[in-house]
Amino acid sequence: MWVEKNNKLNAQFKFKDFKQAFGFMTEVALHVESMNHHPEWSNVWNTVDISLCTHDAGDIVTEKDRKLAKVISGVYKKFE
């Protein structure tokens, strides 16, 4: 699901509709806020694209990003 490319971890998540995609983003937002590590993301109807990198480490992928990717993947499993 996650692909590391150009110093970012990237993933695309598909849902049945916008409501489900937005629900996923809402739940992820609660986790990222508590971790104080925020993704770059976009949503178009039923698709959420997420990119992760650590800006204060020089815009590279760090363990913080890998940990957040696991959390996001766990949230996604609830929506499958």
Side-chain angles (χ1 to χ4, degrees), residues 2 52 63 65-75:
W2 291 94
L52 303 174
E63 191 56 35
D65 303 300
R66 290 182 181 87
K67 183 177 178 183
L68 180 52
K70 286 181 184 177
V71 169
I72 293 169
S73 294
V75 172

Side-chain angles (χ1 to χ4, degrees), residues 30-72:
L30 298 173
H31 291 282
V32 301
E33 188 64 20
S34 70
M35 295 172 73
N36 195 31
H37 191 52
H38 303 86
E40 297 174 19
W41 59 2
S42 66
N43 166 239
V44 177
W45 188 59
N46 71 334
T47 304
V48 177
D49 291 300
I50 301 178
S51 294
L52 303 174
C53 69
T54 303
H55 301 295
D56 59 0
D59 293 326
I60 61 170
V61 175
T62 67
E63 191 56 35
K64 277 177 94 170
D65 303 300
R66 290 182 181 87
K67 183 177 178 183
L68 180 52
K70 286 181 184 177
V71 169
I72 293 169

Side-chain angles (χ1 to χ4, degrees), residues 1 13-15 20 24 73-80:
M1 174 180 314
F13 301 90
K14 295 271 189 179
F15 301 90
Q20 192 178 54
F24 165 78
S73 294
V75 172
Y76 181 66
K77 287 182 187 216
K78 295 178 182 180
F79 287 85
E80 289 184 300

